[in-house]
Amino acid sequence: MERKDYLNERRGSNIVCGEEPGVKYNIKMRVAVIIVSIAVLSGCLNSKYRYEETMNSKILDFEEYQTAVDYYNAQNYEEAILYYELTLDRIKETMQPGTTMEYWIKGKIGESYLEIGQLDRAYPYVHEAREELEKKDDVEMLGTLYQLEGKYYKQSKQYETALLYYEKALEYVEDDELIGVYRLMADTYDDLNRKQKALEYYDYAIEIGEKRNDIGALINVYYGKGIVWALEGELKGAKTCFEKGQKYAEYYWRIDDVKVAEGYTYLARVSVMEKDFETAYFYSRKAMDIYISQDISYNYERQISNMYNSMGYLNMESGNYNAALKMIKKAFDIAAKSMEENEEIKDLYEDYILDNIKSIYKEFIHDGTDYETWFKENFES
């Protein structure tokens, strides 16, 4: 009824203006065409948005997508990538291309590649996702994608560019996401060796998080601030941060979650810096127990190998040759089996496990046995 009244009102005004009948007819026809076009366009846009909302909702229910999210949350990024790709395949088979969820998933693939250090493979996904969501002006997702591109530049050691993207993210994120952006900015300032600036942004994040009681978001903030304190030699402050982050992880997730294990790992490192190897071993053992208790479908070989290697080092520092050799051999066995397929495990093997093996030899083997012979007897037999 409103549209009919509006048209009658416009027709009346045309007559009042006194146009010639032919002119009046043409104007009326043009108005009608314009209004019909607007109505059709509006209907198409509404239909398009409704379609996209429906498709986005359907994607969330895809088994492939839910499995990808499970693997991502479990930090098993290789499997997450596989299932995100399977989700994209299913989208191609069943839907029109170009939904926001499609680009969101590409962003998650890029982020997963970043987590395993494959920057060259990450960038095309990250860049495409951000560009396409900019075209859609999707304010709900753009903040996250700007953060993601910032992470790419941070890992590429282009720290100033990373900060520019984090600043862009601040224009889009809601209050609950400010915590994460401030944490990323703090991490980046730490990389720039601007420690006070880093601590300032960690404190911004903590202030907001504590006011909102956002325990989940605060876990990584406390871990990050603890790392800065530890590197500055402020071990008491570092330990306080790690303990708080670990307790929050227990509360927010569960007592056997990998984020809790991460906190125990940080506490072990502080204990090593304090030369308290017994306490360090205690925390390492607690972290190890959590990792080996995880579902077999989630791959924590890198973390488990690293923990065995750390425990071998701690036993070596305590003078226990047999225990040190046993632990480092376990680390070696895991790494030797997986390092061809996993760059992170290969780096762990080359940078740390081999160093500990050589250290054990130098520290404990004094009977004239050469290194190659000893290595073959203990690690290749």
Side-chain angles (χ1 to χ4, degrees):
M1 288 297 294
E2 287 182 9
R3 179 171 295 173
K4 184 176 180 182
D5 291 342
Y6 174 73
L7 290 174
N8 286 335
E9 188 178 312
R10 291 296 304 267
R11 289 191 185 102
S13 65
N14 287 338
I15 294 169
V16 169
C17 292
E19 294 99 342
E20 294 297 322
V23 175
K24 181 166 63 180
Y25 174 78
N26 288 336
I27 292 174
K28 287 160 70 174
M29 286 298 294
R30 288 173 188 168
V31 170
V33 168
I34 291 169
I35 289 171
V36 169
S37 298
I38 291 171
V40 169
L41 178 60
S42 176
C44 288
L45 289 173
N46 287 335
S47 176
K48 179 181 177 182
Y49 292 140
R50 284 196 299 272
Y51 173 82
E52 184 149 326
E53 287 176 4
T54 301
M55 294 305 101
N56 288 343
S57 179
K58 284 186 176 180
I59 293 168
L60 292 173
D61 290 332
F62 284 179
E63 184 178 350
E64 296 89 341
Y65 178 76
Q66 293 176 355
T67 303
V69 171
D70 286 343
Y71 277 122
Y72 179 88
N73 289 337
Q75 301 176 19
N76 188 345
Y77 300 111
E78 291 89 349
E79 290 296 316
I81 290 167
L82 171 63
Y83 279 93
Y84 281 132
E85 292 282 12
L86 289 172
T87 306
L88 289 179
D89 290 342
R90 188 168 172 190
I91 290 171
K92 289 176 185 176
E93 293 170 2
T94 60
M95 298 180 181
Q96 295 177 13
T99 62
T100 53
M101 276 299 296
E102 179 182 338
Y103 297 119
W104 172 261
I105 289 166
K106 288 181 178 180
K108 297 305 289 184
I109 293 172
E111 187 172 16
S112 298
Y113 276 124
L114 287 179
E115 292 292 347
I116 58 178
Q118 296 189 25
L119 303 189
D120 290 343
R121 300 187 75 175
Y123 183 74
Y125 287 101
V126 172
H127 187 69
E128 181 186 1
R130 191 263 300 165
E131 274 200 332
E132 294 301 326
L133 289 174
E134 274 184 337
K135 291 176 186 176
K136 289 176 172 289
D137 196 26
D138 192 309
V139 295
E140 291 184 3
M141 291 186 178
L142 266 177
T144 301
L145 268 297
Y146 283 132
Q147 292 175 64
L148 181 52
E149 193 137 7
K151 285 166 120 178
Y152 167 79
Y153 284 108
K154 177 182 182 295
Q155 287 186 234
S156 302
K157 302 187 187 305
Q158 300 179 54
Y159 302 121
E160 297 292 350
T161 305
L163 287 170
L164 288 175
Y165 276 98
Y166 296 147
E167 291 284 357
K168 282 187 175 184
L170 289 175
E171 299 174 16
Y172 289 89
V173 297
E174 301 292 338
D175 287 348
D176 57 332
E177 290 185 271
L178 280 175
I179 303 165
V181 181
Y182 284 146
R183 176 182 63 80
L184 291 169
M185 295 178 77
D187 292 344
T188 307
Y189 279 119
D190 183 39
D191 290 329
L192 287 166
N193 204 31
R194 297 175 64 181
K195 304 296 182 184
Q196 289 306 312
K197 197 74 172 175
L199 291 170
E200 180 182 324
Y201 273 88
Y202 282 127
D203 286 340
Y204 288 157
I206 288 170
E207 181 181 0
I208 295 169
E210 293 291 359
K211 282 182 179 177
R212 294 176 56 87
N213 197 30
D214 196 341
I215 290 172
L218 284 170
I219 296 166
N220 284 334
V221 178
Y222 279 114
Y223 286 166
K225 186 177 180 182
I227 290 170
V228 174
W229 279 128
L231 292 174
E232 290 290 288
E234 297 285 347
L235 301 186
K236 184 177 179 181
K239 186 183 291 186
T240 299
C241 287
F242 292 146
E243 287 174 343
K244 197 152 193 176
Q246 184 260 326
K247 290 299 180 188
Y248 278 3
E250 282 188 355
Y251 182 84
Y252 187 78
W253 297 103
R254 59 181 188 274
I255 61 173
D256 62 345
D257 190 81
V258 292
K259 291 302 290 185
V260 179
E262 189 178 334
Y264 284 134
T265 302
Y266 290 136
L267 287 166
R269 291 177 186 173
V270 170
S271 298
V272 169
M273 295 174 77
E274 294 175 328
K275 305 295 183 185
D276 184 355
F277 300 116
E278 184 176 345
T279 301
Y281 192 89
F282 168 78
Y283 284 129
S284 297
R285 182 77 256 178
K286 289 182 81 68
M288 171 66 79
D289 289 343
I290 290 173
Y291 283 123
I292 63 178
S293 72
Q294 300 302 304
D295 190 308
I296 195 170
S297 61
Y298 301 135
N299 186 347
Y300 291 104
E301 288 184 336
R302 179 182 62 82
Q303 290 89 341
I304 292 171
S305 181
N306 183 46
M307 294 312 304
Y308 277 131
N309 187 56
S310 298
M311 292 163 73
Y313 165 80
L314 294 169
N315 278 305
M316 185 167 51
E317 288 291 331
S318 301
N320 190 335
Y321 168 74
N322 289 328
L325 183 62
K326 179 181 178 182
M327 291 295 163
I328 293 178
K329 189 174 187 310
K330 288 185 176 183
F332 173 86
D333 288 343
I334 295 171
K337 181 180 68 175
S338 305
M339 64 182 178
E340 292 303 319
E341 296 83 30
N342 189 310
E343 284 292 324
E344 286 189 314
I345 291 181
K346 184 179 180 181
D347 291 343
L348 174 67
Y349 174 78
E350 293 176 348
D351 296 341
Y352 297 100
I353 295 175
L354 280 180
D355 279 353
N356 275 346
I357 291 172
K358 291 173 183 176
S359 295
I360 287 180
Y361 174 79
K362 291 177 182 178
E363 186 75 20
F364 296 105
I365 306 304
H366 307 293
D367 60 1
T369 305
D370 64 90
Y371 175 76
E372 288 74 16
T373 301
W374 174 82
F375 183 90
K376 287 180 180 179
E377 290 176 351
N378 288 279
F379 294 93
E380 294 184 352
S381 56

